[in-house]
Amino acid sequence: MNYIKIFLLLFACSAMFSCKKDKTTNPSYTCTTCKQTPDALAANDGSSKGIYKGAVVGSTGTISFNVLNDGTTITARMVLDGIVVNLTSTLTWQAGQPYVAPFTGTLNGAAVSITFSVAANGGSPIVTSSSIPGHPGTQFTLVKETSNSLIEVFEGTYHTTRPEDGTFNMLLSRSARVYGGQSRKSTSTSSTDFNGTLTTDNKLKDPNGNILGTLNADAINGTFNDGNGNTVTITARRTL
């Protein structure tokens, strides 16, 4: 499936995630406003129609696109630093064709534009460009939700004894047992991609077999050592 391919990109494990040993303590948290079953309809699983969910860095947030999932609506909803931005597109969807469309709205009275692109079969969803006033360098990680794979979005932070602080946002499919996302140092405008698998005992394992943290209900927490003698702590909670 396409969402699995997106998660399993062969990124090298960066220094921050070049882990030695997990020392996780993981308090439980449940997102009471989050969906427990997919919104995506089975009829759209192999089409550019459907539901797409994403994590946002450059500040922090989430985004979801609805491309005719219900047959009538082409909209998007972004939550950035807690502020909701509703977006719409007027570009007509055509069967058997990629869908590339600008979605527009306003944030604090200023115009927002985000261009969304997806292949005809629903593969490779990306944001090709964005203009968000007050949020330069915003980046997105997107995945297509399917009728049998709920996509969850987590927002969080990391801290290292380097010292360094930053954003740690990710997507997760419990049914496919894969995750992926981006981290960004607080003072930076570029991000680092990460990905891995979710073990049967709910550990987040990177491609090198290192454990980053543990999933407990809708919370992720972990403390581990990087390859340079620094301690890294991650904390994230599901928000979508």
Side-chain angles (χ1 to χ4, degrees):
M1 298 296 292
N2 289 298
Y3 58 84
I4 296 177
K5 291 180 182 178
I6 293 169
F7 278 132
L8 297 182
L9 294 174
L10 298 178
F11 291 113
C13 187
S14 67
M16 190 179 91
F17 299 114
S18 203
C19 324
K20 291 184 179 179
K21 185 178 180 182
D22 174 51
K23 301 177 181 178
T24 300
T25 57
N26 194 16
S28 178
Y29 165 77
T30 299
C31 176
T32 58
T33 60
C34 294
K35 297 292 183 70
Q36 300 304 311
T37 58
D39 286 320
L41 301 179
N44 301 325
D45 283 351
S47 164
S48 56
K49 289 183 179 181
I51 299 294
Y52 301 84
K53 293 181 180 178
V56 185
V57 296
S59 296
T60 182
T62 65
I63 193 166
S64 59
F65 292 89
N66 179 345
V67 181
L68 295 176
N69 185 62
D70 56 2
T72 60
T73 301
I74 301 180
T75 59
R77 183 179 189 268
M78 180 171 63
V79 181
L80 197 59
D81 291 341
I83 300 175
V84 176
V85 182
N86 292 309
L87 304 156
T88 59
S89 179
T90 59
L91 194 67
T92 302
W93 178 89
Q94 296 183 12
Q97 298 295 319
Y99 187 70
V100 182
F103 285 73
T104 58
T106 59
L107 172 62
N108 296 325
V112 172
S113 179
I114 297 173
T115 300
F116 170 77
S117 172
V118 64
N121 64 356
S124 304
I126 59 171
V127 169
T128 61
S129 64
S130 65
S131 175
I132 307 173
H135 300 273
T138 302
Q139 292 178 291
F140 303 79
T141 303
L142 293 179
V143 172
K144 180 179 175 67
E145 183 173 272
T146 63
S147 59
N148 59 5
S149 183
L150 174 70
I151 299 301
E152 304 174 27
V153 187
F154 290 74
E155 295 181 73
T157 60
Y158 74 87
H159 170 77
T160 80
T161 54
R162 190 172 298 175
E164 183 177 304
D165 295 281
T167 303
F168 179 92
N169 291 355
M170 58 169 270
L171 307 175
L172 171 71
S173 169
R174 298 189 201 226
S175 60
R177 307 206 72 81
V178 291
Y179 69 88
Q182 294 183 336
S183 63
R184 178 180 289 191
K185 184 179 177 180
S186 296
T187 57
S188 177
T189 57
S190 62
S191 305
T192 299
D193 296 284
F194 60 86
N195 72 100
T197 57
L198 183 68
T199 66
T200 55
D201 58 348
N202 289 330
K203 305 290 186 183
L204 273 65
K205 184 167 66 173
D206 75 8
N208 293 331
N210 304 305
I211 301 300
L212 306 185
T214 303
L215 173 69
N216 185 357
D218 291 330
I220 294 169
N221 291 274
T223 300
F224 53 88
N225 297 319
D226 68 13
N228 298 311
N230 302 303
T231 299
V232 182
T233 301
I234 58 171
T235 303
R237 288 185 172 188
R238 184 183 174 196
T239 55
L240 179 63

